[in-house]
Amino acid sequence: MFLHQSQVIRKVASEGGCVIVGRCADYVLRDRPDVLKVFVYSDLENRKHRIAHIYHETDAQTLENIEKTDRKRATYYNYYSGKQFGDAQNYDLCLNSGVLGMEKCIRIIQSVYQDREEKWQA
């Protein structure tokens, strides 16, 4: 499955600008200089609030789902990349959405990408 996903990620990235969330895309595309690797994170309380608001879950359900999802993501990432999930050294940019908010994170990512894109094209 990972090999197939990696092929799809490389193909999509080679076809032009795109956003790929998860699936070890930062690792799969590690040799490409035109990739901006971003990690967006937040503290548990902000994540619980956001998930409860979006999916209308109770606190117990929310916490359980966050923990389960975090374990799955970390296991997948650590296994296939050989790196530590969430380690800032794996990324070009790490943003705390609990502090900045999602809209601000999006604007920052766009701004940094545009700045880097100008360098890539120069």
Side-chain angles (χ1 to χ4, degrees), residues 55-105:
Y55 298 107
H56 308 289
E57 294 180 357
T58 66
D59 275 345
Q61 287 175 313
T62 303
L63 182 58
E64 183 178 325
N65 287 341
I66 289 171
E67 290 172 346
K68 183 178 176 182
T69 300
D70 284 353
R71 280 192 304 275
K72 283 183 178 181
R73 285 179 179 155
T75 299
Y76 183 90
Y77 186 87
N78 299 350
Y79 180 81
Y80 286 108
S81 73
K83 297 177 179 260
Q84 186 68 36
F85 179 75
D87 184 344
Q89 293 182 27
N90 300 333
Y91 307 96
D92 302 315
L93 182 64
C94 295
L95 301 169
N96 186 336
S97 63
V99 172
L100 299 169
M102 287 305 291
E103 292 302 317
K104 181 73 170 179
C105 287

Side-chain angles (χ1 to χ4, degrees), residues 39-47 50 95-99:
F39 187 76
V40 179
Y41 65 96
S42 184
D43 62 57
L44 187 56
E45 282 307 310
N46 280 306
R47 293 171 68 199
R50 180 174 159 78
L95 301 169
N96 186 336
S97 63
V99 172

Side-chain angles (χ1 to χ4, degrees), residues 14 20 101:
S14 71
I20 302 170

